[in-house]
Amino acid sequence: MAFSGKTTVALNLIKLFPRTVPDAHIPINPKTKDQDWDCPEAFDMDAMVSAIQSARRQLEGKGSIESRTSYASQWANPAADVDRMLPTEALNALRNMVLQKLHISSAEEMPFSLVLVDGILLFYDDFDESSTPGAECDAGVFICAQYKTLKQRREARSGYVTKEGIWNDPPGYFDNVVWPNFVKYHCKLIAANPEAEGGKHASASLGHFGNVAICSSDAPFAHTLEACVESIINQWNCRQ
């Protein structure tokens, strides 16, 4: 979900799991006649699948992989802003929690590596079909937020970096495109977890949809990040 806090969580997960690889023709919305950046057709899914498979092959072959974030993420999430989201003592507490739950004494003993795939529509309906990025993920974390939170965050941002320049949402874009698309493309997830559709999120962890944990960024950031960490470790333990 756009503006649910995905990238901020991903950039902090990199601090906790050091062996991590973080990660144009845009369709026209038939209703608004604007470019639709929030539908599956706006993404090169085949290229995303290829990138995930390539990273996995390199990890399995113990090859050298450069840790990086996308240009857009760097622009939208300056390092100083990411660091401010979590006090040092809270980050250290989460580091200790990771070590304890994995029964290791240092990060160098981490028993697995992560390929972090950060983006919207990774778990849209039928994501488990072959040839979709979601199908390539061993586990997922779907981060949502209340409608009013998402709208406020989206409308507070001045624009997005694209290949052609800067994209600015036209008036009413969130209500006419972003939110309807979220509901349209996540019917199964919402049906299984109604809280994901902009309800009152009382806690960071809202439940699961298959191997996808559903978390809310309406909770304090430290709680959301902890819920994501718990999901990653639980998925690892289930595979043992």
Side-chain angles (χ1 to χ4, degrees), residues 101-148:
K101 287 184 174 292
L102 292 175
H103 307 291
I104 57 178
S105 58
S106 69
E108 287 71 26
E109 300 174 30
M110 195 71 65
F112 57 84
S113 298
L114 294 181
V115 177
L116 280 180
V117 185
D118 162 29
I120 66 172
L121 293 166
L122 291 175
F123 305 117
Y124 69 95
D125 287 354
D126 301 323
F127 75 88
D128 53 348
E129 294 182 356
S130 60
S131 78
T132 66
E136 292 294 325
C137 298
D138 298 313
V141 180
F142 184 88
I143 303 176
C144 56
Q146 295 181 55
Y147 165 88
K148 64 179 182 179

Side-chain angles (χ1 to χ4, degrees), residues 11 45 116 145:
L11 293 176
M45 296 295 187
L116 280 180

Side-chain angles (χ1 to χ4, degrees), residues 49-63 65:
V49 168
S50 177
I52 296 169
Q53 292 175 341
S54 175
R56 178 180 285 116
R57 286 194 298 270
Q58 292 181 66
L59 288 172
E60 291 173 347
K62 301 186 183 299
I65 303 179

